[in-house]
Amino acid sequence: MGHGADVRITATARERLEAVGAADVAAALQALATPSRLRILARLQEGPCAATELADAVGMEQSACSHQLRLLRNLDLVTAERRGRSVIYALHDNHVAELLEQALHHVEHLRLGLRDAPAGPGAEAAGNR
Amino acid sequence: MGHGADVRITATARERLEAVGAADVAAALQALATPSRLRILARLQEGPCAATELADAVGMEQSACSHQLRLLRNLDLVTAERRGRSVIYALHDNHVAELLEQALHHVEHLRLGLRDAPAGPGAEAAGNR
DNA sequence: TGAATGCATGAACAGATGTTCATGTGATCC
DNA sequence: GGATCACATGAACATCTGTTCATGCATTCA
């Protein structure tokens, strides 16, 4: 077994990106990349909700909301459960909630124009903006 | 001054979303929502890089890459610094790197079809899929 | 100064996206 | 059964998006 090499444990972001499929990662992020869907997910984070009530809560027409819900369903971001004549929607799992949380958290920073550290080795004296 | 009320410290995702501006959050996420830009950011996470070299690294034409870099610059996701006749690009700060990391992390889970917890109160017996 | 290099920009175009309108389907109530 | 409620779906449409092509601007070198 060769001479104890420094096995690289961490994969680069590039490697992980291609491993998972850049297109799929992009698709998942796109699902969060619209005001209407963000509102839908944000509302669902407060708890499950029927389709019509949901549409009303986010100020969308029923049809438009239903179309977006289908998209979110197809990407496994939300679940749908029939209950009487209603269909109750909910976030698929906590990962979705966390992803939304992270997106909000980071954008709140970007929005403030903050900048913690210049990121990456060699980025010396990058003089902000 | 009213009688000592239970001041709510944590804002809901919905409140934070509207406070920051749902459209702006969506725009920031959209910047990560395309294979080409994901590849650009992933490459930059390994360190700063000149424009042409960057385009080559991600397999894009110079012009297409430049257009996307402008978009990323406008959203403060990357920085540009002139160096001789090259322009060195880098991630704006560690928050961008973390956002990319989080996106990858979560999508790796979604990609596996995993499901940790049904998310949200009242999501009882949601019977997966 | 003129040529070449490195990058940015504008126009144009194909494809994707989100909404509305109209209609369809399934469940409940009379 | 028929009416109604709750939601889904398809088509049409306007808008947005990402790429290519051509060209422009700035910097370095001969």
Side-chain angles (χ1 to χ4, degrees), chain B residues 36-114:
Chain B
S36 59
R37 286 190 299 260
L38 276 174
R39 281 193 256 263
I40 289 174
L41 294 174
R43 166 59 187 82
L44 289 181
Q45 202 189 26
E46 297 176 10
C49 184
T52 300
E53 185 188 341
L54 182 53
D56 201 59
V58 301
M60 296 180 71
E61 288 206 357
Q62 179 270 320
S63 178
C65 192
S66 184
H67 278 295
Q68 300 307 320
L69 284 171
R70 172 157 70 149
L71 193 156
L72 293 173
R73 250 164 35 213
N74 290 339
L75 288 170
D76 281 332
L77 289 173
V78 304
T79 60
E81 182 197 2
R82 182 121 225 170
R83 181 116 183 189
R85 48 184 154 185
S86 296
V87 173
I88 308 297
Y89 280 89
L91 294 188
H92 187 70
D93 65 14
N94 284 335
H95 279 284
V96 180
E98 286 175 26
L99 189 46
L100 178 59
E101 164 60 30
Q102 292 292 338
L104 270 173
H105 178 72
H106 286 285
V107 172
E108 283 168 346
H109 275 255
L110 290 176
R111 189 74 162 76
L112 292 174
L114 294 182

Side-chain angles (χ1 to χ4, degrees), chain A residues 4-115:
Chain A
D6 301 315
V7 177
R8 188 159 48 107
I9 294 180
T10 57
T12 66
R14 285 175 75 190
E15 290 166 344
R16 294 166 65 196
L17 182 60
E18 301 305 333
V20 177
D24 287 18
V25 179
L29 284 167
Q30 260 242 317
L32 299 182
T34 210
S36 58
R37 286 190 299 260
L38 276 174
R39 280 193 257 265
I40 289 173
L41 293 175
R43 166 58 187 83
L44 289 182
Q45 203 190 27
E46 297 175 11
C49 184
T52 300
E53 184 189 340
L54 181 53
D56 201 59
V58 300
M60 297 180 71
E61 288 206 356
Q62 180 269 320
S63 179
C65 191
S66 184
H67 278 296
Q68 300 307 321
L69 285 171
R70 173 157 68 150
L71 192 156
L72 294 174
R73 250 164 35 213
N74 290 339
L75 288 170
D76 281 333
L77 290 173
V78 303
T79 60
E81 182 196 3
R82 183 120 226 171
R83 182 115 181 189
R85 47 183 155 185
S86 296
V87 173
I88 309 297
Y89 279 90
L91 294 187
H92 187 70
D93 64 15
N94 283 334
H95 279 283
V96 180
E98 285 176 28
L99 189 46
L100 178 58
E101 164 59 32
Q102 293 291 339
L104 269 173
H105 177 71
H106 287 285
V107 173
E108 283 168 347
H109 276 255
L110 291 176
R111 190 73 162 79
L112 292 173
L114 295 181
R115 187 154 174 223

